[in-house]
Each structure stands twice: as C-alpha cells, then as structure tokens.
Amino acid sequence: MSAPHLDVEQVEAANTAFYEAMERGDFETVSSLWLVPADLGVDEEYHDPADTGVISCVHPGWPVLTGRGEVLRSYALIMANTDYIQFFLTDVHVSVTGDTAVVTCTENILSGGPAPEGDEELGPLVGQLVVATNVFRRTGQGWKLWSHHASPVLTESEGDDGDAGDDGDGAPA
Amino acid sequence: MSAPHLDVEQVEAANTAFYEAMERGDFETVSSLWLVPADLGVDEEYHDPADTGVISCVHPGWPVLTGRGEVLRSYALIMANTDYIQFFLTDVHVSVTGDTAVVTCTENILSGGPAPEGDEELGPLVGQLVVATNVFRRTGQGWKLWSHHASPVLTESEGDDGDAGDDGDGAPA
C-alpha cells in the first residue's frame, strides 16, 4: 500500500484526466478510464447475472446505466451530440481507503450542441451546475472508475432556504 | 474475506435497513449506518483538512454534503419535515470488491410533509422517481455507508427518446 498523500494526488489526477478526456471528446481515453470486470476480480460463473453489472453511471437526470456496454454507449451518444464542453471543477474532495477512493466535486459545465441548421459554428452554449460522486478502484494500470453519479443542483428561490425538506422537491434519502 | 454471495446478501440487507430506518424516521439507526472516521482508518493528523470529509451525501437536487456533521444534520432536517415516507426499491444492483460495495437502485418514493394548517392528518402525498448510488464499506460492525448520491430521474416527453444528449437537459458526465 502506498502513502495516503500520494494516493490522494493520484486519484485527483485520474479524476481530472476523466473530465479532460470528456472535454476533448476522447472516447478511447474515457473508455480506458473505466474498470473492466477483471479489475474487480469478477468471476462471471460465480456471480448472479443481476450482480455482474459491475460499473455504473448516472448522468444528470438519467436513470442508472450498468455494465461497460450501456455506460460506454452513453458516452458515445453524448459525444456525438456535444460540439463543445468544458468542466470547471470546484469543491473537489477525495477520500481514499485501501484500494478504493470516493471523489465528490462540483462540475460547473459550459456546453454546446451542434449548430441547429448546420450553418453556424456552434449551437447555443448552456451552463449547468452539477454535482458528482466518482468511485475509483486501484488497479495495476492506475486508478479506474467504478461508479460515476452526476446530478443537477436545483436552486431554490431566494428566501426559501433552511426549509428544504418540506416542499417535495428536495426529497430525502 | 467471506464468500462473495454472502457479501452481496449482507450489503443488500444493509441497504434495505437504511431505507427502512428512513421510513420509520429512526434517526439513531440512520446515524449508526453511516461510517465514522475511525472505520476508514482516518488519521486526522495526517490528512489535509480538505480531505477529512470522509462521508458524503447528495440528496436529490442538493449540493454535496461532506462529513458526519453536515450529513446527519440534513437527515434530522428531512425527518422533521416529513410525516410520511415510503421507498419502493427496484433495480437493486450490488457490486462487491474486497471491503467495498457499490449499490445502485431506483427509489420509487411516496412522501408527505406535515399538514399545512395543522388540522389535517397528513400533508399532500408526492411521488418521486429517484435513482441512488450507495457506497458501503465493511467494518467490524457490518457494512456501513461511505457515500450516498440520489438524484431525480427527469422524464423526457414521449417520442423524444434516442437523442438525449443534444437538448441541454441530459447533460454529460
């Protein structure tokens, strides 16, 4: 086991590399940053079919995607529909224990789709406030993503703070 | 290390216990199901202050909460504003590796706040479709929560499927 400080640096670097690959639309690198079942020691014969999803991913507002097939197809789809995307990461927290790390961060996203008519250089830019929880696992090839869960931060109207649980839109658990 | 099948069963039981405690409004049990820093072997002197959040929690539409103080206060707030809540869990997937487990599930939530005027038995019931990623860690006292991230599933209008990445509301990463 390596030193905790070094682990935190390496995990943060892997997290940054993931978002930079998204910015470049670099599908190969994004794909390589996700675990393959062998990294988790998954024995396909032993596990129930329901438990072999292994990796999981939730994009903002999406249902859960499980397994490399579903997860990687979603990135291919997103990249095909995104001409420009930039992530300004803030509030990055890393918690490492043994061979697993949990990273939380705020993704301040600026993105644009293809031009609507094909005659403009870029579609309209959209800003989004998203928070993410990324779980990494240590492998022989560095830290790899086991789970990514991102969700929109729904801002409340001003003067409505301190009472988030009673209006049905900031639901519990 | 125990048998993988047994691990999956124990993790699923811990996940169920967490939601049942929420349904009962049982703050003590919810609190006991979250890791304490000692469970993760956190050495307060060694870690940077920024990295000692350890546990993290995202309620649907909320920003990230880190550390037992913030996380447990949020549950106290939610319970104080929720008279009735029931979780119908579906699509429960468990992925265990060593001493860490990632659980994904769909929380079909039915909840109600306090009666608005105090003269009704229950406020209006609200249904919500939420997905969650729960990370558990094995401890001497069973599997405990390291991270919980829940987010609303934003349903698209019918006939708009297969094109989720281009309209700015199903954002990437």
Side-chain angles (χ1 to χ4, degrees):
Chain A
M1 186 145 327
S2 47
H5 266 152
L6 186 59
D7 284 347
V8 169
E9 285 173 20
Q10 289 177 343
V11 169
E12 193 162 347
N15 193 62
T16 303
F18 170 65
Y19 288 104
E20 287 179 350
M22 283 295 298
E23 289 179 339
R24 294 195 306 272
D26 180 350
F27 181 79
E28 290 299 314
T29 299
V30 168
S31 174
S32 74
L33 284 168
W34 280 93
L35 284 174
V36 293
D39 289 330
L40 290 171
V42 170
D43 177 347
E44 305 285 350
E45 283 185 56
Y46 196 90
H47 278 63
D48 290 339
D51 300 330
T52 54
V54 182
I55 65 168
S56 59
C57 177
V58 178
H59 301 296
W62 287 38
V64 179
L65 307 175
T66 48
R68 284 184 67 87
E70 279 189 16
V71 171
L72 296 183
R73 273 195 298 276
S74 75
Y75 282 104
L77 177 69
I78 287 167
M79 288 180 182
N81 286 286
T82 307
D83 274 11
Y84 175 87
I85 188 158
Q86 195 156 9
F87 297 92
F88 303 93
L89 298 186
T90 55
D91 310 312
V92 179
H93 282 254
V94 180
S95 175
V96 182
T97 301
D99 294 331
T100 313
V102 173
V103 179
T104 57
C105 57
T106 302
E107 305 173 355
N108 304 274
I109 303 175
L110 191 63
S111 65
E117 300 298 324
D119 57 357
E120 297 173 41
E121 290 195 350
L122 203 66
L125 289 177
V126 179
Q128 280 184 292
L129 186 61
V130 167
V131 289
T133 301
N134 300 325
V135 183
F136 288 87
R137 185 82 189 163
R138 190 200 309 271
T139 77
Q141 291 77 44
W143 292 87
K144 301 289 177 96
L145 271 167
W146 185 0
S147 165
H148 167 74
H149 192 140
S151 61
V153 177
L154 308 174
T155 52
E156 295 183 81
S157 54
E158 290 191 19
D160 192 28
D161 54 324
D163 211 16
D166 71 347
D167 53 7
D169 68 356
Chain B
M1 187 145 322
S2 47
H5 266 152
L6 186 60
D7 284 348
V8 170
E9 284 173 20
Q10 289 178 342
V11 169
E12 193 163 350
N15 193 61
T16 302
F18 170 65
Y19 289 104
E20 287 179 350
M22 285 295 299
E23 289 180 338
R24 294 194 307 272
D26 180 350
F27 180 79
E28 291 299 313
T29 299
V30 168
S31 174
S32 74
L33 285 169
W34 280 92
L35 283 174
V36 294
D39 289 329
L40 290 171
V42 169
D43 177 348
E44 305 285 350
E45 284 185 57
Y46 196 90
H47 277 63
D48 291 339
D51 301 332
T52 54
V54 182
I55 64 168
S56 59
C57 177
V58 179
H59 300 295
W62 287 37
V64 179
L65 308 175
T66 48
R68 283 183 67 87
E70 280 189 14
V71 172
L72 296 183
R73 273 195 298 276
S74 75
Y75 283 104
L77 178 69
I78 287 167
M79 287 180 182
N81 287 287
T82 306
D83 274 12
Y84 175 87
I85 188 158
Q86 195 155 9
F87 297 91
F88 302 93
L89 299 186
T90 54
D91 311 312
V92 180
H93 283 253
V94 180
S95 173
V96 182
T97 302
D99 294 332
T100 313
V102 173
V103 179
T104 57
C105 57
T106 301
E107 304 173 354
N108 304 272
I109 303 175
L110 191 64
S111 65
E117 301 297 324
D119 56 359
E120 296 173 41
E121 290 194 351
L122 202 66
L125 290 178
V126 178
Q128 281 184 291
L129 186 60
V130 167
V131 289
T133 301
N134 299 325
V135 183
F136 288 87
R137 185 84 190 161
R138 190 200 309 270
T139 78
Q141 291 77 46
W143 292 88
K144 302 288 177 97
L145 270 167
W146 186 0
S147 165
H148 167 73
H149 191 140
S151 61
V153 177
L154 308 175
T155 52
E156 293 182 82
S157 53
E158 290 190 20
D160 192 26
D161 54 324
D163 210 18
D166 71 345
D167 53 8
D169 68 357

